[in-house]
Every structure is written in C-alpha cells, then in structure tokens.
Amino acid sequence: RLESLGATVVVADADTPAARAALAEAVGPGGARVVFDAVAGEAGALALSALADGGTPVVYGALSRQPPA
C-alpha cells in the first residue's frame, strides 16, 4: 500500500546486520531524503539508519512501545 502512495522503500524488519545491508542497498549510497517512522524502537532505528546527511526524519508514532532510537 505505501508503495502505491509513492514510497520507494518500505521497512518492516528488525534491526539486524542483514536488514541494514538490504536497506543500504535499496536506498543507495546517498541515503534516503526522508524517513517516516511510525514504529520507533529497533525497527525505527533500522529505518533511520538509512537517512542521508541533511535528510528529514519524521517520527510520528511508537507502535513498538519502545522509545525512539
């Protein structure tokens, strides 16, 4: 559904080395210009790890019930 709204990459995984490598490959060497995080915690940390220098993080929820990373 998010891709149909214009998202290029959707993260739905735990913060593991394999997930970080797959995400880095998906967003490319420049990183993501914007990261939307509704989950926080471990999965949010994974998403935010892909943020480009000067990129915009949008944290708007904590579905994991863990604090934002």
Side-chain angles (χ1 to χ4, degrees):
R1 167 108 172 109
L2 294 173
E3 288 94 345
S4 71
L5 297 172
T8 305
V9 177
V10 177
V11 175
D13 204 345
D15 189 1
T16 65
R20 279 189 182 245
L23 181 58
E25 182 178 333
V27 299
R33 293 181 300 164
V34 178
V35 170
F36 293 91
D37 176 14
V39 180
E42 202 174 285
L46 173 63
L48 293 173
S49 74
L51 193 62
D53 288 341
T56 303
V58 179
V59 180
Y60 63 96
L63 294 172
S64 69
R65 296 190 179 192
Q66 296 174 347

